[in-house]
């Protein structure tokens, strides 16, 4: 099975130069994702309760940046919109996940690079080790950082996710600081 997995991974790297489109699971006939990280809607006819049927022309979708820094996009089907992260859609469509790892890691650390050759399935631990090793997140805050974080959080109500981004740590690290779970002595 591992040989098959490796062969599929090599094929994924080869196909990253040529743009290939696949249906997004659960949105077949509505949207497709490419191995280069692009999303397109497909031509289709939509029934409207009062206006009857109308034709929708497919188009390349403009991606939005989530507050976490990742590209995401709202996919609409049957009048309901669900927001999905683009890197996860690419991985689900193009990268085998025989070990059912829950996260998708950006190999180069660039959250906006959703080319299939830059993505891999990872555990939370593997993703965190990669981020620390590549200096994408800090492992420690200074005493000065902790005091500043608490002051800004308490005075300005700055969100933990925003502070986490600014200090290059996880939002859980900030949560632990502002709730005195860590750094109790300060």
């Amino acid at each position: 099975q591992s040989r098959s997995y490796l062969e599929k991974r090599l094929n994924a790297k080869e196909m990253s130069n040529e743009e290939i489109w696949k249906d997004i699971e659960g949105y077949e006939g509505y949207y497709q994702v490419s191995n280069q990280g692009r999303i397109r809607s497909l031509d289709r006819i939509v029934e409207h309760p009062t206006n009857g049927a109308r034709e929708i022309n497919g188009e390349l979708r403009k991606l939005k940046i989530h507050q976490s820094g990742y590209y995401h996009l709202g996919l609409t089907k049957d009048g309901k919109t669900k927001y999905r992260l683009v890197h996860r859609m690419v991985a689900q469509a193009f990268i085998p996940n025989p070990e059912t790892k829950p996260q998708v890691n950006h190999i180069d650390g660039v959250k906006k690079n959703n080319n299939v050759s830059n993505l891999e399935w990872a555990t939370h631990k593997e993703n965190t080790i990669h981020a620390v090793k590549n200096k994408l997140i800090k492992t420690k805050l200074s005493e000065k950082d902790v005091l500043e974080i608490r002051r800004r959080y308490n005075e300005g109500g700055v969100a933990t996710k925003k502070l986490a981004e600014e200090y290059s740590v996880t939002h859980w690290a900030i949560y632990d600081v502002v709730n005195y779970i860590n750094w109790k002595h300060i």
Side-chain angles (χ1 to χ4, degrees), residues 153-164:
Y153 180 81
N154 291 326
E155 289 177 6
V158 182
T160 57
K161 285 186 179 182
K162 181 169 176 37
L163 289 165

Side-chain angles (χ1 to χ4, degrees), residues 5-177:
Y5 170 75
L6 291 174
E7 287 172 355
K8 288 178 183 176
R9 256 332 257 147
L10 288 173
N11 287 341
K13 287 185 184 274
E14 288 171 10
M15 77 169 89
S16 64
N17 294 328
E18 173 191 343
E19 190 162 27
I20 298 168
W21 294 91
K22 288 189 177 183
D23 286 335
I24 296 173
E25 188 177 331
Y27 293 89
E28 295 85 352
Y30 289 80
Y31 299 96
Q32 290 183 329
V33 61
S34 88
N35 58 329
Q36 295 179 3
R38 300 191 318 157
I39 309 290
R40 68 181 178 191
S41 60
L42 300 174
D43 292 344
R44 61 189 181 276
I45 296 176
V46 177
E47 291 292 331
H48 191 273
T50 55
N51 298 338
R54 67 179 191 146
E55 189 176 328
I56 304 271
N57 292 322
E59 63 184 5
L60 197 58
R61 299 295 307 273
K62 185 174 179 180
L63 305 177
K64 296 179 172 132
I65 299 173
H66 187 266
Q67 65 184 11
S68 62
Y70 295 103
Y71 280 127
H72 74 132
L73 184 68
L75 303 178
T76 304
K77 181 179 171 183
D78 301 327
K80 296 178 184 170
T81 301
K82 290 185 180 179
Y83 282 85
R84 307 258 315 260
L85 294 167
V86 173
H87 63 283
R88 287 196 64 81
M89 290 188 280
V90 172
Q92 288 167 336
F94 293 97
I95 304 173
N97 189 7
E99 298 175 41
T100 60
K101 294 182 178 184
Q103 296 185 2
V104 179
N105 181 41
H106 286 80
I107 296 166
D108 68 1
V110 178
K111 293 178 178 182
K112 295 177 185 172
N113 181 359
N114 293 316
N115 191 294
V116 69
S117 64
N118 185 49
L119 302 174
E120 64 184 355
W121 289 103
T123 63
H124 176 70
K125 183 177 181 180
E126 291 167 339
N127 215 358
T128 302
I129 289 169
H130 176 265
V132 171
K133 180 178 163 188
N134 291 286
K135 297 184 173 138
L136 302 173
I137 59 172
K138 279 187 194 176
T139 53
K140 293 185 180 181
L141 293 168
S142 69
E143 208 168 285
K144 180 181 172 187
D145 291 337
V146 169
L147 292 171
E148 181 69 12
I149 289 166
R150 284 183 181 152
R151 182 191 64 74
R152 290 181 61 208
Y153 180 81
N154 291 326
E155 289 177 6
V158 182
T160 57
K161 285 186 179 182
K162 181 169 176 37
L163 289 165
E165 205 172 280
E166 288 179 28
Y167 286 89
S168 300
V169 295
T170 65
H171 86 277
W172 290 111
I174 300 295
Y175 177 88
D176 289 350
V177 166

